[in-house]
Amino acid sequence: MDISFTIIELGLMILLFVMAKVSYNRPSNKLRILYAAPAFVAVAMLVFVGFNKYHAGVYAAAVLILGCLFMELKKVKQKQIIAGLLAVVIAVNLGVIVHASGYKRMPYLKDFEEAFTVMKEHYVLTEEKGIDFDALYAKYEPLFREVDKTQDGVENYKVWQQFTGEFYDGHVGYKTKSESEMRTAFCEAYGNDYGLSLIRLSSGEFAAINVEGYDNSYTINSTDHDNLGLFLIKDDYKPDTAEADRLTLKNAGIKNGTIITKWNGKPIEEYFDDISYYMEQYPVRENEEFFQPIYVAGMGKDMKYGEMNPDSIVDITFIDTDGNEKTITAQSLGAYAPRMFDTMGKIDDGVNITNLNWQEVNEDTYMIRISEMIYDLDTYEGTDYTEMTQELREKVLALKESGVKNLIFDIRRNGGGSPYFVEGIACLFAPLGEHLTYYSAVINEETASFERGEDGRYKMGVPSGYVGEDLWHDGQIILLVNAETVSAGDDMTYMMGDFPNVTVMGFTSSNSSCQAVTGIGMEAGEINFSAVPNLLPNGEIAIDTYTDHVGRTPFDEKIPMTQDAITAIFDRGEDYVLQYAADSF
């Protein structure tokens, strides 16, 4: 749009160069008023595009040409010289807009329009999720229009997070194409770091976790690398007083596990309605509620959710060691996102070993880590996982022969992969006989969409399944999951969760997102969404939550969040969930 306005201004200057002589030969106030036209266009540019220093030549030309309004008609040459010079100025400005490395307008609104149109036509859970696309467009088009006007990349990220969150679908997500822009947006979108995160205990109380100043907690001085690359820019948001203020909480007696009763004088749960977007997608309401306190910890005094201010403060009310309620004021230590990301990692990460590797937990129990449903690149695009199955079969039989009684499958933070990989594992432990997993849906080739029957359900196509071997009939199995166990991780939870000797447990249930995914590449970013239905043998959509936001994968035991859990995770750096599972045998 900015280029269009600039070209219009250039055309007007050329027109005024010609009109200088025309207006002398045919005097008319209507012709003279044309000298005000560039100013009107510049104002329209400010309204629809927003102010930008790279448009300075256009603004200047629009103002300077107004001087010709008051010049005598006979001064044709002077007017032509002015119009000609200003045309050159605008032409140079146009070159700057098109070629300058420091300037590039992103088509944020166009990106939204493109993605929205495709999703409205091809998102496969519209009915099941209760999505009203017309209402979503009415709500978000003005927000993206404003982002397009201001060219605010951080706000673009925030609005996309809000939009994708409307679907309660772990397969609907947005990311920018530029990693550096994504890091910046992430750091600026979750508020300020006041030296702690928050968690809700199973008792209902709220406790401090990952408190600054303790050995195993995140620290603002950390130089550790992370998979988001936040270490590259996190110091950019650190106030000058951060080092002097970093031990404020510890010196006041707040430690990991300290009960926090109020945040800026309000109960913590009163902030939950202010959380308008999350870092992750939480289709299961109960999982969402588990993580809400973590997000509250970035909200400063008299600040809206997601705002940042290096000079901000927060009043924290807590129970001290004498059992008395006490309030302290903490200064911002920088961006909250790195601590928040670290907190979620400490809670959700699985065992840090290579995918499909085994580890002894104790003499009776072995654990296999499955961080992604991928065996190797050669098999990932296909359906034949017999080599992997045979390799696992030999290992399982050897463990059984050695006297091992219990197996733990660690699929925490499993980002998904191939469902055929999952079948290649599930078949070893399933009861004897044939097991159906999913049916495909019938696609209409002309419309490239999937057909629904009169009952509103998708028409069922070809089934998929496997034959169970029941190799661990006399032993026990635990699946460790959490809200970041998604896609094929959900598949494994669904397929194995109902086996008679399998227990599914974790702080949170799996994500509950299972449909096949497609992506839309746009200029500023890309969005993924559920595009191919997977159907259960009874014809229902597999696994994904409905409008009630209740998880539909098996979940047998919610591990309680207790003071013991906080101490183990944030003070001793232990894998509390794995040990809890081993002890439960």
Side-chain angles (χ1 to χ4, degrees):
M1 188 180 288
D2 54 334
I3 292 176
S4 299
F5 276 119
T6 305
I7 292 174
I8 291 171
E9 288 280 41
L10 180 59
L12 284 173
M13 290 301 168
I14 295 172
L15 175 63
L16 292 173
F17 179 89
V18 174
M19 293 304 299
K21 192 164 188 178
V22 172
S23 62
Y24 175 74
N25 294 328
R26 299 179 182 177
S28 168
N29 287 330
K30 291 181 179 179
L31 293 177
R32 289 172 66 90
I33 203 69
L34 278 175
Y35 288 104
F40 286 110
V41 173
V43 170
M45 189 175 183
L46 286 168
V47 171
F48 291 104
V49 176
F51 176 81
N52 192 300
K53 64 181 181 181
Y54 285 93
H55 301 155
V58 175
Y59 304 148
V63 172
L64 293 173
I65 199 67
L66 287 172
C68 295
L69 263 173
F70 310 103
M71 294 177 67
E72 296 178 8
L73 290 176
K74 63 182 181 181
K75 294 187 175 181
V76 173
K77 271 194 174 179
Q78 292 92 323
K79 291 178 182 179
Q80 288 182 328
I81 290 172
I82 292 172
L85 289 174
L86 294 180
V88 172
V89 170
I90 294 174
V92 171
N93 202 151
L94 181 61
V96 170
I97 292 174
V98 173
H99 299 293
S101 60
Y103 174 84
K104 179 173 174 60
R105 285 192 61 82
M106 301 305 297
Y108 293 128
L109 179 60
K110 181 174 176 290
D111 277 3
F112 168 70
E113 298 274 9
E114 178 184 344
F116 181 87
T117 300
V118 177
M119 287 187 70
K120 184 176 182 179
E121 184 174 356
H122 295 291
Y123 181 65
V124 295
L125 297 176
T126 300
E127 302 299 324
E128 289 74 15
K129 299 278 189 182
I131 304 299
D132 184 339
F133 274 98
D134 292 337
L136 287 180
Y137 186 84
K139 178 178 179 180
Y140 285 98
E141 192 275 346
L143 300 180
F144 279 106
R145 182 174 294 278
E146 181 64 20
V147 168
D148 194 71
K149 176 181 173 181
T150 61
Q151 289 292 292
D152 188 334
V154 175
E155 196 63 28
N156 179 63
Y157 167 82
K158 291 180 180 180
V159 177
W160 272 115
Q161 291 302 101
Q162 292 174 53
F163 176 77
T164 56
E166 300 273 7
F167 292 81
Y168 282 87
D169 183 341
H171 278 150
V172 178
Y174 174 83
K175 65 177 181 180
T176 64
K177 284 189 175 178
S178 167
E179 290 187 8
S180 62
E181 287 181 10
M182 192 68 182
R183 281 192 291 267
T184 299
F186 191 77
C187 272
E188 295 185 18
Y190 294 98
N192 292 88
D193 179 16
Y194 300 103
L196 81 168
S197 288
L198 298 169
I199 198 73
R200 181 176 6 215
L201 300 176
S202 297
S203 63
E205 299 171 297
F206 296 93
I209 53 175
N210 219 4
V211 180
E212 180 74 32
Y214 292 91
D215 290 345
N216 283 296
S217 291
Y218 169 84
T219 174
I220 60 171
N221 295 326
S222 171
T223 57
D224 290 345
H225 293 201
D226 55 76
N227 59 2
L228 291 180
L230 297 180
F231 69 95
L232 293 171
I233 64 170
K234 69 183 185 70
D235 288 347
D236 295 344
Y237 302 98
K238 191 187 297 183
D240 294 338
T241 60
E243 185 58 38
D245 295 331
R246 63 178 292 266
L247 296 182
T248 297
L249 304 186
K250 185 176 182 180
N251 293 337
I254 296 178
K255 56 185 179 180
N256 292 315
T258 295
I259 299 301
I260 307 298
T261 58
K262 290 185 180 65
W263 196 258
N264 286 319
K266 292 169 52 177
I268 290 166
E269 59 266 29
E270 289 190 13
Y271 287 93
F272 293 167
D273 288 341
D274 297 332
I275 303 173
S276 53
Y277 55 87
Y278 298 102
M279 178 184 71
E280 304 287 348
Q281 295 285 2
Y282 304 117
V284 179
R285 183 82 71 192
E286 191 172 342
N287 293 352
E288 179 183 12
E289 291 170 352
F290 178 88
F291 287 98
Q292 282 175 327
I294 296 176
Y295 289 89
V296 171
M299 298 173 69
K301 191 171 186 178
D302 300 323
M303 295 177 67
K304 295 180 180 178
Y305 177 72
E307 286 185 347
M308 274 197 73
N309 181 347
D311 299 321
S312 66
I313 60 172
V314 68
D315 293 331
I316 303 173
T317 305
F318 64 101
I319 305 298
D320 66 16
T321 53
D322 296 325
N324 300 316
E325 201 170 52
K326 182 179 178 181
T327 299
I328 65 162
T329 298
Q331 301 286 334
S332 169
L333 303 179
Y336 177 54
R339 186 181 305 276
M340 179 182 75
F341 186 75
D342 184 81
T343 296
M344 292 179 176
K346 285 180 166 67
I347 292 172
D348 277 350
D349 279 351
V351 176
N352 186 24
I353 58 175
T354 306
N355 193 41
L356 287 176
N357 266 20
W358 292 87
Q359 179 174 292
E360 181 180 7
V361 180
N362 56 51
E363 61 181 13
D364 292 327
T365 306
Y366 263 71
M367 179 276 304
I368 180 173
R369 173 63 171 143
I370 307 179
S371 55
E372 54 187 347
M373 304 305 184
I374 299 173
Y375 180 60
D376 57 36
L377 294 178
D378 292 333
T379 59
Y380 182 67
E381 297 297 333
T383 62
D384 184 4
Y385 282 82
T386 53
E387 180 181 343
M388 178 196 73
T389 300
Q390 178 58 28
E391 183 180 312
L392 288 175
R393 183 184 291 111
E394 293 172 0
K395 179 65 176 180
V396 168
L397 291 175
L399 290 174
K400 188 175 181 179
E401 183 68 23
S402 69
V404 173
K405 300 175 182 177
N406 311 309
L407 297 179
I408 297 174
F409 286 84
D410 183 4
I411 56 174
R412 291 173 289 175
R413 233 178 196 178
N414 183 297
S418 169
Y420 300 107
F421 172 106
V422 178
E423 292 180 1
I425 295 176
C427 68
L428 299 175
F429 304 95
L432 295 173
E434 187 175 353
H435 297 263
L436 288 176
T437 52
Y438 306 127
Y439 280 78
S440 65
V442 175
I443 190 169
N444 185 316
E445 298 291 346
E446 293 184 2
T447 63
S449 59
F450 295 92
E451 295 185 353
R452 292 183 185 262
E454 293 182 359
D455 60 357
R457 292 184 175 184
Y458 286 109
K459 294 180 179 180
M460 299 176 71
V462 180
S464 179
Y466 59 88
V467 177
E469 300 181 28
D470 206 12
L471 295 186
W472 207 255
H473 178 81
D474 297 321
Q476 296 297 310
I477 299 172
I478 285 178
L479 263 60
L480 292 182
V481 302
N482 55 37
E484 294 185 65
T485 302
V486 64
S487 196
D490 280 311
D491 290 337
M492 187 167 184
T493 308
Y494 161 69
M495 290 184 198
M496 294 185 62
D498 285 332
F499 294 171
N501 60 340
V502 170
T503 300
V504 182
M505 63 172 60
F507 282 135
T508 51
S509 69
S510 69
N511 191 274
S512 277
S513 301
C514 161
Q515 313 316 304
V517 184
T518 192
I520 305 171
M522 301 167 289
E523 187 164 344
E526 57 187 71
I527 188 169
N528 297 316
F529 66 93
S530 299
V532 181
N534 291 318
L535 308 177
L536 298 178
N538 65 2
E540 290 185 1
I541 281 285
I543 294 176
D544 275 78
T545 60
Y546 292 158
T547 55
D548 58 7
H549 307 309
V550 174
R552 295 174 63 230
T553 53
F555 190 52
D556 301 303
E557 184 173 350
K558 184 180 178 69
I559 297 174
M561 178 58 70
T562 62
Q563 289 286 355
D564 287 343
I566 291 175
T567 299
I569 297 169
F570 293 100
D571 284 333
R572 298 199 296 267
E574 297 173 355
D575 191 338
Y576 178 82
V577 171
L578 180 63
Q579 193 57 52
Y580 184 97
D583 292 344
S584 71
F585 286 120

